[in-house]
Amino acid sequence: AQRVTQPEKLLSVFKGAPVELKCNYSYSGSPELFWYVQYSRQRLQLLLRHISRESIKGFTADLNKGETSFHLKKPFAQEEDSAMYYCALLYGSSNTGKLIFGQGTTLQVKP
Amino acid sequence: NAGVTQTPKFQVLKTGQSMTLQCAQDMNHEYMSWYRQDPGMGLRLIHYSVGAGITDQGEVPNGYNVSRSTTEDFPLRLLSAAPSQTSVYFCASSNPGQNTEAFFGQGTRLTVV
């Protein structure tokens, strides 16, 4: 069965430190993976999708099919990065829009 | 540009009461979904729809009903509220296609006492 795991509930770092939010998945098909972010008092929004291989707000994420991972990284954390981050997998084919989410990781960036 | 709009933002219900959470989108998206967000469990899919007149169950459908009479609206009904349904509910919409982005409403915080 499909599954997304984010092992850390809370990640606390100082401003300027590197950040890595872990995400592992289990899926028999070809994975379509995303990172969504929820800032305080804001709605959930897309941060990254693996197919784009882009950098958004300094964040990158690489799909590693061998390790079934999609970790989110940023070399230098900023205070405005403090938020809840969810890793998500689109499952049941692209014809449903169904997402399965990890448990979420709260990133706290201290000044 | 409203995007996905959910009402109400907050609601308190007594056990056994019924209510409908409203969700509307103005992006002409085909897909709509309802998720619940609980601490330590992420977001879990309740029901989803791939178009008007078509709905299906997600991971945690028990105690909830949905219908999709129009492309724009996707209401979620709680038939007889239970304390276990205390949660934050999110509606989302998207279009078909690979790696398509989902757009979320601002959420409804529901407390069942």
Side-chain angles (χ1 to χ4, degrees):
Chain A
Q2 56 277 346
R3 188 184 183 101
V4 176
T5 303
Q6 293 177 248
E8 304 133 332
K9 278 189 178 179
L10 172 66
L11 187 62
S12 186
V13 301
F14 285 102
K15 177 181 172 181
V19 169
E20 183 179 45
L21 286 79
K22 291 183 167 45
C23 172
N24 288 92
Y25 68 91
S26 174
Y27 187 56
S28 57
S30 183
E32 296 179 40
L33 287 155
F34 306 81
W35 277 98
Y36 282 85
V37 60
Q38 187 175 27
Y39 300 104
S40 180
R41 298 188 197 86
Q42 293 187 28
R43 63 186 69 198
L44 205 63
Q45 58 187 281
L46 177 67
L47 180 64
L48 283 177
R49 64 193 103 193
H50 89 269
I51 196 71
S52 304
R53 302 184 64 83
E54 58 198 342
S55 174
I56 302 292
K57 298 183 179 182
F59 285 98
T60 59
D62 290 320
L63 176 61
N64 186 323
K65 290 187 177 180
E67 296 184 358
T68 59
S69 69
F70 187 55
H71 303 328
L72 183 68
K73 299 177 184 178
K74 185 170 183 176
F76 308 104
Q78 302 300 314
E79 289 181 68
E80 56 265 29
D81 295 329
S82 295
M84 173 73 89
Y85 291 80
Y86 288 100
C87 183
L89 169 73
L90 191 66
Y91 73 104
S93 85
S94 297
N95 297 322
T96 63
K98 297 191 295 184
L99 289 166
I100 185 166
F101 287 84
Q103 300 91 325
T105 298
T106 298
L107 175 63
Q108 183 183 72
V109 182
K110 296 177 285 189
Chain B
N1 187 0
V4 180
T5 302
Q6 289 182 236
T7 55
K9 289 186 180 178
F10 302 94
Q11 183 70 49
V12 178
L13 286 180
K14 292 183 178 178
T15 298
Q17 286 185 317
S18 63
M19 81 159 294
T20 300
L21 308 185
Q22 302 291 344
C23 176
Q25 54 97 3
D26 61 0
M27 296 173 283
N28 204 32
H29 285 166
E30 291 187 36
Y31 299 161
M32 295 187 75
S33 307
W34 276 102
Y35 296 86
R36 58 178 289 172
Q37 182 187 41
D38 300 293
M41 303 190 76
L43 279 77
R44 292 179 292 166
L45 182 65
I46 304 171
H47 284 286
Y48 68 100
S49 168
V50 298
I54 306 169
T55 63
D56 207 344
Q57 296 180 352
E59 185 185 356
V60 288
N62 293 339
Y64 308 95
N65 276 356
V66 292
S67 60
R68 184 101 179 265
S69 56
T70 67
T71 300
E72 294 79 19
D73 299 301
F74 191 44
L76 178 72
R77 296 183 190 84
L78 283 70
L79 304 175
S80 179
S84 60
Q85 294 178 303
T86 293
S87 188
V88 181
Y89 292 84
F90 288 97
C91 179
S93 73
S94 62
N95 264 334
Q98 282 193 327
N99 293 281
T100 183
E101 176 181 357
F103 292 84
F104 287 83
Q106 73 273 39
T108 296
R109 185 174 294 273
L110 176 68
T111 302
V112 183
V113 298

